Amino acid sequence: MADEAFVPADFTVPGELLAPPFRLEPLGPQHNSPDYAAWTSSIGHISATPGFVGRDWPDPAMSPEENLADLERHADDFAARTGFTYTVIELASGETIGCVYIYPARSEDNDADVSSWVRADRASLDTVLHEAVSTWLSAAWPFHAVSYR
């Protein structure tokens, strides 16, 4: 897909996924404080989550200001339609409990690479989130093959 757009120009990117017990909305700078609190409270759990094992994120040395710059980059990717990051918000509490990342595949065998994480205190939702996002990707996105770790 290197020579093609990540998503077709006429594709309307979903602005939300409502999948009780949570909803997804595009991640942006306005989420900095709750996002930072969510992942910094769960570094061990995230680091052991498929898709994050062996990566250099989450980085315990990352400052809130660096996190803000990261969220701005994700928002820019979303606006440019080159990648889509969603924050996961628990419906009952309104708290940020995770993230979902949808980016172009690194392998020619797939259209998109997807990963997600939830806070350690919501670890029971890892599988629930994976299943909801997998269904959403199949039903609402233009991808034929997705690698979701």
Side-chain angles (χ1 to χ4, degrees), residues 1-125:
M1 284 194 68
D3 296 332
E4 300 174 24
F6 182 37
V7 294
D10 63 349
F11 174 66
T12 302
V13 177
E16 178 181 63
L17 170 63
L18 182 58
F22 46 76
R23 70 180 173 83
L24 277 59
E25 67 179 50
L27 179 70
Q30 70 276 19
H31 299 109
N32 192 42
S33 291
D35 176 74
Y36 188 78
W39 71 258
T40 58
S41 71
S42 302
I43 291 172
H45 177 71
I46 296 167
S47 295
T49 299
F52 297 92
V53 175
R55 290 183 48 194
D56 60 358
W57 189 90
D59 177 1
M62 182 182 246
S63 70
E65 295 77 20
E66 291 167 319
N67 193 67
L68 178 60
D70 194 44
L71 299 191
E72 289 169 342
R73 181 184 56 81
H74 284 304
D76 289 346
D77 290 348
F78 203 106
R81 300 168 61 92
T82 58
F84 305 98
T85 304
Y86 292 84
T87 189
V88 181
I89 299 171
E90 186 176 53
L91 292 172
S93 67
E95 293 180 42
T96 295
I97 62 167
C99 274
V100 174
Y101 307 86
I102 306 168
Y103 275 86
R106 287 176 237 119
S107 160
E108 290 184 18
D109 297 334
N110 296 304
D111 301 320
D113 286 341
V114 179
S115 57
S116 61
W117 59 266
V118 296
R119 287 187 340 209
D121 64 352
R122 302 299 196 283
S124 64
L125 294 177

